[in-house]
């Protein structure tokens, strides 16, 4: 996705670059979108592990870690957004937020609709921040989220 738009990328190109056969590809993935989905899931799993390892116990610190990941890897989100993965990203982020709350805040019992609402706000804040090239200071975003979005 660094040199081609997502629709132009073929499974043959993916398997050639990954040095795996098409058979191996299809044994692990149904389609090329599955590769993106797996990448996103692994990033979120890694974020939860980092949060646990670094003992980031409060939601503001966890949000800082989350948003910082995208700022430190500034090409990931624009490429995924350009490829049309907003829905997948939002769904995976909502699953991530639910998992994060269960693991790091087990006493906080939220209905699914409340988690979806929180996730949507955080997601749109992230998308806005990415589209304006991370110009707004992270602290401003977290302060706003803490006041208006977060639990």
């Amino acid at each position: 996705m660094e040199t081609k738009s997502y629709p132009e990328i073929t499974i043959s190109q993916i398997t050639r670059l990954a040095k795996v056969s098409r058979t191996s590809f299809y044994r692990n993935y149904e389609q090329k979108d599955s590769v993106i989905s797996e990448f996103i899931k692994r990033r979120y799993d890694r974020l939860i592990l980092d949060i646990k390892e670094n003992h980031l116990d409060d939601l503001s610190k966890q949000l800082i870690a989350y948003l910082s990941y995208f700022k430190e890897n500034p090409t990931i989100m624009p490429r995924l957004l350009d490829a049309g993965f907003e829905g997948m990203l939002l769904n995976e982020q909502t699953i991530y937020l639910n998992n994060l709350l269960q693991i790091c805040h087990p006493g906080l019992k939220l209905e699914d609709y409340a988690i979806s609402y929180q996730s949507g706000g955080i997601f749109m804040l992230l998308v806005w921040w990415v589209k304006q090239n991370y110009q707004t200071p992270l602290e401003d975003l977290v302060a706003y989220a803490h006041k208006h979005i977060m639990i």
Side-chain angles (χ1 to χ4, degrees):
M1 291 173 63
E2 289 179 18
T3 59
K4 289 185 176 198
S5 70
Y6 183 74
E8 295 177 75
I9 298 171
T10 66
I11 290 176
S12 294
Q13 292 166 330
I14 293 170
T15 57
R16 191 174 26 234
L17 184 63
K19 298 179 181 161
V20 298
S21 69
R22 285 179 74 87
T23 304
S24 294
F25 177 89
Y26 284 112
R27 189 177 314 123
N28 295 291
Y29 303 103
E30 292 179 25
Q31 57 187 0
K32 69 180 184 176
D33 288 5
S34 303
V35 175
I36 300 294
S37 178
E38 184 68 25
F39 170 78
I40 293 167
K41 287 176 186 174
R42 287 183 184 186
R43 295 298 89 197
Y44 283 133
D45 288 347
R46 182 68 208 158
L47 280 166
I48 288 176
L49 186 59
D50 287 346
I51 285 169
K52 285 173 45 180
E53 287 176 351
N54 291 298
H55 307 289
L56 303 177
D57 298 328
D58 86 27
L59 288 167
S60 291
K61 289 178 183 176
Q62 293 164 354
L63 184 59
I64 289 169
Y66 179 64
L67 295 174
S68 293
Y69 170 79
F70 292 102
K71 187 174 183 180
E72 292 164 6
N73 299 280
T75 60
I76 291 174
M77 191 64 133
R79 287 192 180 124
L80 292 171
L81 291 173
D82 288 345
F85 287 107
E86 294 93 344
M88 180 189 294
L89 286 163
L90 177 55
N91 287 336
E92 291 300 331
Q93 179 190 277
T94 303
I95 292 167
Y96 159 73
L97 180 59
N98 191 31
N99 290 342
L100 176 73
L101 293 175
Q102 288 178 10
I103 292 167
C104 297
H105 307 279
L108 186 61
K109 303 292 185 204
L110 292 178
E111 298 293 335
D112 288 344
Y113 62 82
I115 294 170
S116 293
Y117 176 81
Q118 299 294 328
S119 183
I122 293 166
F123 182 74
M124 291 311 298
L125 192 65
L126 172 60
V127 169
W128 175 84
W129 195 41
V130 167
K131 288 184 177 183
Q132 62 108 29
N133 202 28
Y134 310 98
Q135 295 301 308
T136 301
L138 178 60
E139 298 78 21
D140 292 355
L141 298 179
V142 173
Y144 182 85
H146 187 74
K147 184 176 179 182
H148 297 286
I149 300 171
M150 293 171 47
I151 306 133

